[in-house]
Amino acid sequence: MTDRYAVIGNPVAHSKSPLIHAEFARQTGHDISYEAILAPLDGFRAAVLEFRDAGGKGLNVTLPFKHEAWSLVGAHEGYARDAGAVNTIDMRDSRMVGLNTDGVGLVRDIRHNLGCPIRGRRVLLMGAGGASYGVIEPLLREQPLELVVANRTPEKAVVLVAHFEKFQSFAPEGLVARSYVELRGRRFDILINATSAGLSDAMPPLPDAVFAPGALAYDLVYGKRTPFLEFAGARGARTADGTGMLVEQAAESFFIWRGARPDTAPVIALLKKT
Ligand code: ATR
C-alpha cells in the first residue's frame, strides 16, 4: 500500500517539498504519496491528528507551525529537543516523534555541496528567531572557531546564546551574542543569514568589511537573490541561497521515514532550473 506523507503549513501552496519528495521516491523506488496540507492558523493540531488517524506516516512542518509541532508531539529526538521546533514528524505505530532536520540540511549543504569546512572557521549567524534556533546546535557541533550571533534586537541574541550555553565548548573561542554595530572591525569566514529580512527585500545592517577573504555568504531564503547576497557578492564573497539546505533537510526527513538516502545533487539542480 502507498504510504502517505505531507508538508503542512500556512501558506503552503508555494512549497517545493512535494516536488522534492516525488523525485526522492522515483529515485529510490519507494511507493509513497506526498501532498501539501493547508492548515488553518488555529487548526494545526486537528489537521495533524486527522492525517495521522487516516493512516499518514509522516509530516514535514513549515511556517508558522514548527513551535506548535514541538508541543504537540509525544517525544523529541536529536536536534529538535533543544531547538524547540519540529520540522519532521515521524508517525510510528500512531505515536508521534518530532525531529528537526533543518540544521543537518544547512551543514550538509555548506560542507558537502559547497565544499566549505566549518571546523576552525569564524562563523556569523544573523537572526535570533526560530530559524536560528533550528540550526545552531548542528553548526556548533561542527566546531567552528567561534560562533557569533548578531540580531537587530540584541537581547534576543543574548537569550538564544544562553539557551545553547551547554554547547559552548564546541567552539573554542565561544558562542557569543552581538549587536550589528559591534561587528565593526570583525571579519568572518562563513556568514549565515537566518533573518526573515530577505523576504521583504531588506537586509541586516552589516558593516562593509565583515567578509574575510574567500568568505561564504549563505542565505536561508531560497529561490531569490536577497539584498544580503547582493551585498556580499559585491564585496567579493562567494554566495549561496537556501535551495541546497531545502533539499538536504528533505533528504534527511526521507531517510528518517524510509531508511534510504536519496541523491540530492540532481534534485538541487532541478530546483535551481525551475
Ligand atoms: P523565524 O522564526 O522565521 O526566524 P522570527 O522569529 O520572526 O522568524 O525572526 C525573524 C528574525 O529576523 C529576527 O531575528 C528578526 O530580528 P528582530 O529579533 O530584531 O526582530 C530578524 N529580522 C527581520 N527583519 C529584519 C531586518 N530588516 N533586519 C535585521 N533583522 C531582521
Side-chain angles (χ1 to χ4, degrees), residues 228-241:
F228 165 63
L229 293 184
E230 287 290 344
F231 180 85
R235 282 152 190 82
R238 181 180 174 202
T239 59
D241 79 357

Side-chain angles (χ1 to χ4, degrees), residues 2 13 21 34 47 65 68-69 79 98 130 134 150 159 163 168 186 212 214 221 230 236:
T2 305
H21 284 278
Y34 191 106
F65 298 126
E68 205 176 332
Y79 298 126
V159 171
H163 183 80
Q168 269 274 3
R186 298 295 323 274
V221 170
E230 287 290 344

